[in-house]
Amino acid sequence: MLKARILVIDDEEEMLDNYSRLIGKMGYECLTERDGRRAIEMIDSHSPDVILSDLRMPGMSGLDLLDKIRDLNQGIPVILVTAYGDIPTAVESVKRGAFDFISKPFSSEQLRIILERAIRYKALADENKKLKEQLGACAELEIIGKSEAMREVIEIIGRVSTTDANILLTGESGTGKEMVASVIHSRSYRNTKPFIPVDCAALPENLLESELFGYERGAFTGASTTKKGLIETAHEGTLFLDEIGEMSLTLQAKLLRTLQERVVRRLGSNRFIPVDIRIISATNRDLKRAVQEGSFRDDLYYRLNVIHINIPPLRERREDTPLLALHFLKRFTSLHRKETNSISAEAMSALEDYSWPGNVRELQNVIERAVIMSDKKVIELKDLPEELHSNKSIPILPENLSYKEAKEAWLTAFERNYLQSLLDGSSVNISRAAERAGINRKTIHRLIKRHKLDVRRSRN
């Protein structure tokens, strides 16, 4: 078996000697070059598997070198070596196509781990290349939308799926963040390995910790067996951390350590287990503000937010509503063996006019309910929930408001009216209201608190 070939670029001769010694001990072939331009020529003649380059060099910087390598389009993973103060530039480099970065000072073990990951990435990427080519046009995104906002999202997904960069998805509840994460995974070189979703808001801190990191037998009361954690389970695949903004600072620190060291330690164990995972995280919170307020670690934020994709709410891309509605109609008529095959013009108009506080998830639930309840081939307005039958929730606004103020006031009034109507129609049953709206109970409780609604009759 041929040794992996590492090309190292650094303008300091002493550093190159150190790299040669360390990389040689790891069992790899090490090529060195002090000049970035000559290094470009070596790529054609020596076909390295991985390139390790210093970020700051005279003549051609690490970023310039990265751009040149990308122009060659050979798919060679590039790792940039940075000082701590260059972290923002390093993050930018990953956005521009670098495989990863490593900060000085680093240990030989840290270097070994990142090189192993890059070598494995190259091998798997080469292995999947033929399959990707065969899929061609058939490997279409399973994301419905023709609006400008969604075209931009789809374009970004297409660019980042084949990289190994961590991704942060933002957007309101119900916009389809897990669907996007799943699509990115399915189009990545990790697609034959697990996609593991974790809802960080659904579990209390101690349970979330044991689920993520696993535990040894006897680690705590009730731990009668050894259990592998979800991070371990996602090895070589993708870990999707939904509602990452709800994670406690203690768990954030532990997750950061795992991402930096690429190892995981089960509760009750002193053994470190190597893991190779890609992180896709999602939140409906403003994490930048959370960082400023001290409820979210800035170093973890930068690790997770290498690529940011914001998924717009359905009310901001109304032209996508008919496409989505017909897509769900086709799915649920097949699933429930119904003969319903179209939506009347009046019903479709109501769907387009509605503001969808529960976003795509709410639309999906509305169409499924209509398919189940309708006994005709056409879904009529009467088959839709009462709140879609009129625009009575639209408030009268003062004339002197700015666009931003008017929009905020309109959405606030609509949200309150919709929520009250939803609760009334559900006999003030929180669980039933959440199911009808296509959002979770925590969101309902948060909205009730925000709008100070009286729910003393609630049976939850």
Side-chain angles (χ1 to χ4, degrees):
M1 184 175 178
L2 294 175
K3 291 181 179 180
R5 183 174 292 167
I6 316 297
L7 172 59
V8 182
I9 305 117
D10 197 298
D11 60 307
E12 296 183 19
E13 193 69 44
E14 185 179 348
M15 285 299 298
L16 291 178
D17 291 340
N18 288 335
Y19 281 124
S20 293
R21 177 175 51 81
L22 287 173
I23 291 173
K25 284 183 177 180
M26 295 174 193
Y28 307 134
E29 181 183 348
C30 183
L31 307 174
T32 60
E33 180 53 65
R34 294 181 62 180
D35 183 85
R37 293 180 180 84
R38 287 198 297 269
I40 294 294
E41 297 172 4
M42 291 182 69
I43 293 173
D44 278 334
S45 59
H46 291 78
S47 301
D49 295 292
V50 178
I51 295 172
L52 183 70
S53 173
D54 197 52
L55 181 63
R56 292 185 178 273
M57 296 184 294
M60 179 180 284
S61 70
L63 285 180
D64 293 335
L65 180 66
L66 173 65
D67 290 338
K68 290 288 185 183
I69 294 169
R70 284 188 63 202
D71 290 342
L72 294 174
N73 196 28
Q74 294 192 13
I76 304 171
V78 179
I79 302 166
L80 291 178
V81 181
T82 72
Y84 181 77
D86 290 325
I87 293 295
T89 308
V91 171
E92 177 61 28
S93 74
V94 176
K95 292 180 181 179
R96 286 165 64 168
F99 175 76
D100 208 340
F101 63 89
I102 185 169
S103 301
K104 301 175 185 176
F106 53 82
S107 66
S108 60
E109 181 64 11
Q110 287 175 308
L111 179 63
R112 182 188 64 78
I113 289 172
I114 200 170
L115 286 177
E116 281 184 354
R117 286 182 53 240
I119 291 165
R120 187 159 56 248
Y121 169 87
K122 181 67 162 58
L124 288 171
D126 290 344
E127 186 180 317
N128 281 301
K129 188 175 181 181
K130 283 188 179 180
L131 177 60
K132 297 288 185 184
E133 290 171 352
Q134 290 171 356
L135 288 173
C138 296
E140 296 178 354
L141 293 172
E142 299 173 12
I143 299 175
I144 309 298
K146 64 177 182 178
S147 63
E148 181 64 28
M150 284 310 295
R151 283 204 299 268
E152 289 179 9
V153 169
I154 291 169
E155 183 183 348
I156 295 172
I157 291 171
R159 288 204 304 266
V160 305
S161 292
T162 53
T163 74
D164 209 36
N166 291 337
I167 295 171
L168 177 64
L169 305 175
T170 57
E172 296 177 6
S173 293
T175 49
K177 296 187 285 294
E178 183 169 346
M179 163 66 84
V180 170
S182 177
V183 167
I184 291 172
H185 171 76
S186 70
R187 292 172 63 87
S188 75
Y189 79 92
R190 297 176 179 269
N191 58 11
T192 59
K193 301 298 181 179
F195 173 77
I196 305 293
V198 183
D199 187 346
C200 299
L203 300 171
E205 181 181 353
N206 59 339
L207 187 54
L208 179 59
E209 181 180 18
S210 63
E211 284 293 308
L212 283 174
F213 297 94
Y215 52 83
E216 295 291 334
R217 180 180 178 181
F220 51 83
T221 304
S224 56
T225 59
T226 294
K227 181 180 179 181
K228 182 190 291 188
L230 294 177
I231 294 175
E232 230 180 304
T233 304
H235 179 58
E236 295 186 339
T238 302
L239 184 69
F240 175 56
L241 297 175
D242 197 10
E243 301 301 344
I244 185 70
E246 306 303 318
M247 184 177 285
S248 71
L249 286 168
T250 302
L251 278 187
Q252 288 175 36
K254 195 165 183 179
L255 176 62
L256 177 65
R257 194 176 307 116
T258 295
L259 297 182
Q260 289 174 332
E261 306 295 333
R262 298 283 172 173
V263 293
V264 66
R265 182 167 64 87
R266 295 174 185 165
L267 298 180
S269 172
N270 293 321
R271 185 167 66 97
F272 290 94
I273 302 168
V275 288
D276 173 20
I277 54 173
R278 182 188 201 176
I279 298 285
I280 301 178
S281 47
T283 183
N284 57 20
R285 291 182 59 192
D286 184 344
L287 284 193
K288 270 191 176 179
R289 179 178 294 179
V291 168
Q292 293 168 356
E293 294 171 348
S295 60
F296 202 87
R297 294 179 63 106
D298 59 346
D299 42 9
L300 179 59
Y301 173 74
Y302 288 119
R303 276 279 175 182
L304 298 176
N305 189 29
V306 175
I307 303 293
H308 175 215
I309 303 176
N310 183 63
I311 305 170
L314 190 51
R315 64 178 175 273
E316 293 182 5
R317 50 185 185 104
R318 291 178 185 273
E319 60 266 50
D320 292 338
T321 304
L323 288 176
L324 287 162
L326 293 173
H327 170 73
F328 292 136
L329 176 69
K330 184 178 179 181
R331 177 197 293 179
F332 293 124
T333 51
S334 174
L335 178 65
H336 298 297
R337 297 183 175 88
K338 302 281 284 190
E339 295 184 359
T340 311
N341 57 21
S342 63
I343 301 172
S344 73
E346 188 181 19
M348 186 65 83
S349 177
L351 293 173
E352 290 183 84
D353 290 342
Y354 187 58
S355 289
W356 301 108
N359 290 295
V360 177
R361 188 186 298 132
E362 183 184 5
L363 173 61
Q364 175 180 303
N365 289 354
V366 164
I367 298 299
E368 182 174 20
R369 176 185 178 277
V371 167
I372 292 171
M373 300 303 293
S374 177
D375 56 0
K376 299 179 181 178
K377 290 189 176 182
V378 180
I379 289 178
E380 304 286 354
L381 181 61
K382 65 180 177 60
D383 299 314
L384 302 180
E386 179 65 30
E387 56 266 23
L388 273 73
H389 291 190
S390 71
N391 291 324
K392 61 186 178 182
S393 62
I394 299 177
I396 299 174
L397 302 174
E399 296 180 357
N400 60 345
L401 293 181
S402 68
Y403 170 79
K404 184 177 180 181
E405 291 169 335
K407 181 180 178 181
E408 186 175 342
W410 188 93
L411 288 175
T412 298
F414 168 81
E415 192 174 71
R416 189 183 195 285
N417 291 338
Y418 168 77
L419 184 62
Q420 187 65 69
S421 174
L422 181 68
L423 291 169
D424 290 344
S426 306
S427 302
V428 201
N429 184 300
I430 304 298
S431 296
R432 191 181 305 156
E435 185 178 352
R436 287 184 64 197
I439 55 181
N440 60 48
R441 294 174 71 256
K442 286 188 177 181
T443 302
I444 294 284
H445 280 295
R446 187 167 63 246
L447 292 174
I448 289 170
K449 185 176 180 181
R450 180 190 301 168
H451 295 291
K452 300 178 181 177
L453 296 183
D454 183 5
V455 290
R456 284 173 293 184
R457 291 178 294 144
S458 173
R459 299 192 302 273
N460 289 323

